[in-house]
Amino acid sequence: ILGRQKIIERLEETDPASLFSGDVDNSLLELAGEAFRHTGQHVLAIMFDKFKFMAHLAALRKYLLLGQGDIMRYLLDLLEEELSQPATQLYPHNLSAILETAIRATNTQYEDVDILERLDVRLL
């Protein structure tokens, strides 16, 4: 953490009683705030760049909120017969195969691989 050593040094120099004085113009507080801001920026950079946070939010909008009309329409058409069966006869592997078929037949196939790997079927 950037500034960690400065915070440690300042803690060693600071009288413990001054930490509880309620003084907001404390230099230790300023160093901690600076470390907090730097760490927050670092975490956000990792979330947005490395883990593609915005792409995942867009995928949630497309697939959970039915924003991607072509796959949802096609998937529901394919699932019509399967979902008309009793719940005891629904199997995840059959539903997953139907989902894979819908993905391959629509524009969803061009999504980022990381997003496609997270599209899944679960029975509750």
Side-chain angles (χ1 to χ4, degrees):
I1 298 174
L2 185 67
R4 180 177 181 201
Q5 190 60 36
K6 288 180 184 179
I7 293 173
I8 292 171
E9 290 170 4
R10 191 60 49 94
L11 270 173
E12 291 171 348
E13 297 169 1
T14 304
D15 177 32
S18 69
L19 295 175
F20 302 102
S21 68
D23 182 19
V24 293
D25 288 335
N26 190 336
S27 60
L28 181 61
L29 186 60
E30 290 174 16
L31 285 173
E34 185 179 320
F36 171 78
R37 283 186 293 281
H38 179 268
T39 303
Q41 289 172 346
H42 184 66
V43 168
L44 288 175
I46 289 173
M47 285 177 58
F48 284 100
D49 299 335
K50 183 177 180 182
F51 293 110
K52 304 174 186 172
F53 183 66
M54 294 306 290
H56 286 282
L57 287 180
L60 284 172
R61 189 183 124 260
K62 285 180 185 176
Y63 305 115
L64 291 181
L65 301 176
L66 307 178
Q68 183 80 20
D70 61 337
I71 187 172
M72 287 303 142
R73 181 72 171 177
Y74 191 62
L75 181 61
L76 290 174
D77 288 344
L78 292 175
L79 286 172
E80 183 177 3
E81 184 179 326
E82 190 75 24
L83 294 179
S84 64
Q85 299 176 18
T88 56
Q89 294 180 357
L90 293 177
Y91 299 104
H93 61 276
N94 291 345
L95 299 174
S96 291
I98 293 171
L99 176 63
E100 289 295 324
T101 301
I103 289 171
R104 278 190 243 111
T106 61
N107 287 333
T108 306
Q109 65 183 313
Y110 302 113
E111 279 287 344
D112 187 87
V113 175
D114 191 43
I115 302 292
L116 290 176
E117 289 175 352
R118 295 185 193 300
L119 292 177
D120 193 15
V121 172
R122 305 235 171 112
L123 295 178
L124 302 176

